[in-house]
Amino acid sequence: MLKVFGIRHHGPGSSRSLEQALEQFQPDTILIESPADAESVLKYAADPAIKLPVAILVYNPNDLNQASYLPYAAFSPEWVTMQFGFKNEIPMKFMDLPLGYNFSEQEQEPAQKIIFDFDKKGKQEADIHRDPLGKMATLAGYSDSERWWETTFEQQFNPTEIFEQIEAMITALREAQPDDRTDTLRREAFMRITLRQAIKDGFEKIAVVCGAWHVPAITEFQKYKQSADKAFLKGHKKIKTKATWIPWSYERLAFESGYGAGVKSPAWYDLLFHHKKNASIHWMAKVSGLLREEGIDASAAHAVEAVRLAETLATIRNLQIPGILELKEAAMTVFGNGSIETLSWIEKRLIIGERYGEVPDTIPMIPLQKDLEKSIKSARLTKERNSLEKVDKKLDLRKKTNLDASRLIHRLNILDIPWGSLLEGAEFATGSFSEHWGLKWVPDFAIKIIEAGMWGNTVSEAASRKLVEKAKETTELSPLSAQVASSLLADLPAAIPFLIKRLREISTLTNDALHLMDSLPSLVRILRYGNVRKTDTEQVRTVVEEFIPRLCIGLTASCVSLDEENSKDVFDKIVSANHAISILGNASLQTSWNTALKQMVLHPAIHPILKGACTRILFEKQLYDVKETATQMHYALSMANEATESATWLEGFLHGSGLLLIHNPSLWKILDEWVDDISMSNFKEIIPLLRRTFSKFPGAEREKMLQLAKRIFTPKKLKTPANTSAKEVEQFLPTIRLLLS
């Protein structure tokens, strides 16, 4: 005897009816619509330590771009079927076409949500194959197939005969619109071959659990010749695949992903499956609790009133129990006073749901996965890994577990598993002993973990090997310096010797001072914070002390005749390099760097912004006194130079702060006289440059400069042409105020 149960993937109504139907039928074998090459891990679904939702990952071990996920929740009919089979010791078999066939022909399509489009003519017919229930919803007068399914199946107390009705509906649909898609026909041929084998093996009561669309092709298997089905599959190459179990989430279940359909409301479906009679009460109680957590008035009386309103709406709409639409409308009315904004943020938590599955250690994993799970636990990051929201995590590197967590996150980033992104900026800068991360784990990392497994059996080993291989292919100093920094941040002692050797080789071959400057800040940061992370940085110090003298010797030659755009880029490099060399505290290297800066100031072919910046640095180091600085400023702002060149020099000279002018009247006086001597046409031309320079200063500094300008720019102090009145001079003051605002 054969019984075919047509279900909807992840349908709680299907699951309840199916469970009853299987109990009544008591089959001696069960065939489930899942890829046959996933059957090797079916037995692990019996593990009581599994925390749903989970998924089977099927992949091509030789090409990890080829992978597919088979997700399951507690309300998934396939999962209910598996548990029934284990409980009753009934042999089960996956009967769908192995994914290895799809991988071999590159037939996988990008995951996309099936949406029934009612506005485009002809779309209904095209989508019958992909969304047959959508077609039925249209015939029933619904514009939303999920709403129709929920009303007809999830909220009704359907008898087991519902499967016969589903079969009749789908049979009629397929007769009206035959399915001639090659992939569907091939899958159904394989299903029939599996069914015939079960019959040949002597099973007498066979239960088949498959998507509703395939029911007619299975129940009427005798209409198809066995030879024709085998011929249909003959000649198609099958790639050998591997499978494993991985954690999943309700968030991911809400989208169609890989094999099987997605559902819009996993959390609501979970309530319907476990608490069908009281689902409305459970849901509204959760709404009330969440609102109270946010400080919003939401009493038990509100929840009771909202449930009553939802039930009234259901009655008006001829529903046995309220659906998610009725519950949302009632909650919005009672709790939100008609405002949808009050409840919009709850939707993700109570409709989609915030649940993340777990796979126990007893289920076989690749060695890297096992080591990763162990590392996550030892670093006390399990909670962050299981969170469905992005988590801000501040780490104090003086604490061992926090240091372990930092190393783990850095290692995963090296392996292209971007669990954490380092948050930067003043708001997060709390000192060298702290890191601030944004952590977001996604189930798709599962395939990346398998891919990373090719590099080693532990996270540390894999990250080390990948860095070394990457360094072998790197020929530029800056990215290699970043790799060295990564190895030290991730504490990968096995990789560091080779990386340092490679760094020395590349730095020796690099003659361009600008490339040397690019790598300097990251390497000096390693030296500065290495003691915090308890890493040995002496090898890095040796390399840095080797190439800084060469940087200093080649700096001027590398900066000659640069255009404005490149000069601004070099300007930032010089500022960063100066800061880095100062941190080192090496007097000999500092002297070489200062000499290079003086050469930059005196060379006639260096761009003004660079000469101004170098002058400022030398003044702050007290290598130029006020007199020498004033001399350089006189040269730069003399009438012999174009006004734009002088303004550009001033931009470099005043970078960072204007206090230099405020506390040195002689320098302010030079600037004052220069502005006074500029012709009106030139002044209009350089106003944008000056405004860009002065606008970067803090408000207090700009206000102080404005006060200085007011004291100096008076009719008595100004040098005015003959016949110029004080009233005319006053007209210049708004321009000065604008410049300093």
Side-chain angles (χ1 to χ4, degrees), residues 132 166 200 227 275 288 324 366 464:
I166 291 175
K200 184 178 179 180
S227 58
H275 308 284
S288 179
I324 195 63
I366 63 170
S464 295

Side-chain angles (χ1 to χ4, degrees), residues 69-116:
Y69 305 97
L70 318 175
Y72 303 100
F75 50 81
S76 301
E78 298 92 339
W79 183 262
V80 170
T81 302
M82 293 179 205
Q83 301 313 305
F84 176 85
F86 291 133
K87 178 183 177 182
N88 294 279
E89 299 182 350
I90 299 173
M92 294 176 285
K93 194 169 187 64
F94 284 174
M95 67 180 305
D96 202 355
L97 185 74
L99 286 167
Y101 283 104
N102 293 334
F103 294 161
S104 68
E105 298 185 7
Q106 299 291 312
E107 291 181 351
Q108 279 189 304
E109 298 178 0
Q112 54 184 341
K113 185 65 179 174
I114 299 173
I115 300 175
F116 199 82

Side-chain angles (χ1 to χ4, degrees), residues 499-699:
L499 293 173
I500 295 297
K501 178 183 176 183
R502 184 67 175 157
L503 182 67
R504 181 176 280 110
E505 292 173 352
I506 298 299
S507 65
T508 302
L509 297 173
T510 302
N511 296 318
D512 191 337
L514 302 184
H515 288 164
L516 293 171
M517 276 200 298
D518 274 336
S519 61
L520 184 59
S522 61
L523 295 176
V524 171
R525 277 196 295 272
I526 294 171
L527 298 177
R528 185 179 186 184
Y529 299 130
N531 62 326
V532 177
R533 308 189 68 89
K534 301 178 182 179
T535 53
D536 183 7
T537 59
E538 286 308 307
Q539 297 178 77
V540 177
R541 185 181 297 277
T542 300
V543 175
V544 169
E545 292 177 352
E546 285 176 357
F547 76 64
I548 285 182
R550 291 192 293 108
L551 183 162
C552 296
I553 293 171
L555 179 61
T556 302
S558 298
C559 296
V560 169
S561 301
L562 293 176
D563 59 21
E564 181 176 359
E565 183 177 352
N566 288 321
S567 294
K568 289 181 178 179
D569 181 50
V570 173
F571 168 85
D572 294 331
K573 296 180 191 297
I574 288 177
V575 172
S576 297
N578 179 69
H579 179 67
I581 293 174
S582 298
I583 290 174
L584 287 175
N586 185 310
S588 175
L589 296 178
Q590 188 68 63
T591 299
S592 299
W593 175 248
N594 294 339
T595 300
L597 294 179
K598 290 180 180 179
Q599 293 173 350
M600 292 280 288
V601 170
L602 299 175
H603 198 290
I606 299 299
H607 195 277
I609 194 172
L610 300 180
K611 299 180 75 170
C614 293
T615 303
R616 171 64 177 269
I617 292 172
L618 291 169
F619 176 80
E620 291 181 340
K621 290 175 177 288
Q622 298 181 354
L623 297 173
Y624 276 179
D625 57 18
V626 173
K627 182 178 179 181
E628 178 61 29
T629 303
T631 299
Q632 295 299 330
M633 192 171 184
H634 264 299
Y635 288 148
L637 303 183
S638 68
M639 296 300 293
N641 297 323
E642 293 185 5
T644 53
E645 290 185 2
S646 298
T648 303
W649 183 93
L650 196 62
E651 181 181 359
F653 181 71
L654 295 177
H655 74 273
S657 173
L659 291 175
L660 185 68
L661 295 176
I662 295 173
H663 296 303
N664 293 277
S666 59
L667 300 181
W668 177 269
K669 187 173 182 296
I670 296 171
L671 176 63
D672 169 37
E673 293 174 351
W674 173 66
V675 173
D676 188 32
D677 290 334
I678 296 174
S679 66
M680 183 55 66
S681 59
N682 285 338
F683 189 64
K684 290 180 179 179
E685 183 180 352
I686 66 171
I687 276 182
L689 295 175
L690 295 175
R691 182 172 178 79
R692 182 175 65 192
T693 300
F694 284 85
S695 65
K696 297 177 182 178
F697 301 153

Side-chain angles (χ1 to χ4, degrees), residues 207-498:
V208 174
V209 177
C210 65
W213 184 251
H214 303 297
V215 171
I218 305 301
T219 56
E220 300 175 357
F221 75 96
Q222 293 176 336
K223 292 183 178 180
Y224 301 85
K225 292 183 178 181
Q226 182 174 355
S227 58
D229 284 342
K230 289 184 176 181
F232 198 68
L233 295 174
K234 189 177 181 180
H236 294 284
K237 182 182 177 182
K238 176 187 172 184
I239 287 178
K240 187 175 181 180
T241 61
K242 289 187 177 182
T244 186
W245 287 94
I246 62 171
W248 207 245
S249 70
Y250 275 1
E251 183 181 32
R252 291 290 293 167
L253 198 62
F255 300 91
E256 184 178 354
S257 178
Y259 184 91
V263 291
K264 296 178 182 177
S265 317
W268 170 240
Y269 276 13
D270 190 282
L271 273 177
L272 282 175
F273 182 68
H274 290 104
H275 308 284
K276 181 176 176 61
K277 293 183 179 180
N278 300 314
S280 301
I281 297 174
H282 281 274
W283 194 86
M284 209 63 74
K286 290 185 177 182
V287 171
S288 179
L290 288 175
L291 290 175
R292 283 197 299 273
E293 289 178 7
E294 297 297 320
I296 299 174
D297 184 23
S299 64
H302 284 99
V304 171
E305 184 61 29
V307 170
R308 288 174 179 170
L309 178 55
E311 290 175 344
T312 301
L313 290 172
T315 301
I316 293 172
R317 296 167 181 173
N318 295 318
L319 303 176
Q320 285 190 7
I321 64 173
I324 195 63
L325 181 61
E326 288 72 36
L327 291 171
K328 287 173 62 176
E329 291 176 355
M332 181 181 67
T333 302
V334 175
F335 293 111
N337 295 319
S339 173
I340 194 171
E341 286 78 12
T342 306
L343 297 176
S344 59
W345 58 274
I346 288 181
E347 182 159 352
K348 184 174 182 179
R349 300 180 69 175
L350 294 186
I351 298 178
I352 294 177
E354 295 180 313
R355 181 170 296 182
Y356 192 92
E358 293 181 9
V359 174
D361 296 338
T362 53
I363 293 179
M365 308 178 193
I366 63 170
L368 180 69
Q369 175 74 48
K370 291 182 179 180
D371 182 70
L372 175 59
E373 295 295 331
K374 180 180 177 181
S375 300
I376 289 174
K377 289 179 180 178
S378 64
R380 298 180 183 176
L381 290 174
T382 302
K383 181 179 178 181
E384 288 75 11
R385 198 277 302 276
N386 292 342
S387 174
L388 296 176
E389 299 292 337
K390 187 173 184 179
V391 178
D392 281 357
K393 182 73 172 179
K394 184 177 288 187
L395 301 176
D396 185 343
L397 303 182
R398 292 168 293 187
K399 299 178 180 178
K400 183 181 183 305
T401 55
N402 281 201
L403 184 58
D404 289 342
S406 173
R407 290 168 174 166
L408 175 61
I409 298 168
H410 280 293
R411 289 170 182 175
L412 291 177
N413 282 334
I414 291 172
L415 292 171
D416 294 324
I417 304 172
W419 181 15
S421 56
L422 197 59
L423 304 177
E424 299 178 351
E427 65 269 31
F428 303 117
T430 56
S432 60
F433 292 97
S434 176
E435 280 183 347
H436 199 128
W437 292 91
L439 302 177
K440 180 68 166 73
W441 188 274
V442 296
D444 287 351
F445 287 164
I447 194 67
K448 289 182 175 292
I449 292 170
I450 293 173
E451 185 174 14
M454 66 178 285
W455 297 106
N457 292 332
T458 67
V459 178
S460 175
E461 180 185 11
S464 295
R465 288 182 177 175
K466 183 169 184 179
L467 263 185
V468 168
E469 291 303 315
K470 193 173 181 180
K472 290 178 181 179
E473 301 173 358
T474 303
T475 57
E476 295 184 4
L477 189 59
S478 182
L480 187 58
S481 299
Q483 292 165 18
V484 173
S486 295
S487 70
L488 291 166
L489 292 172
D491 189 23
L492 302 174
I496 291 174
F498 177 83

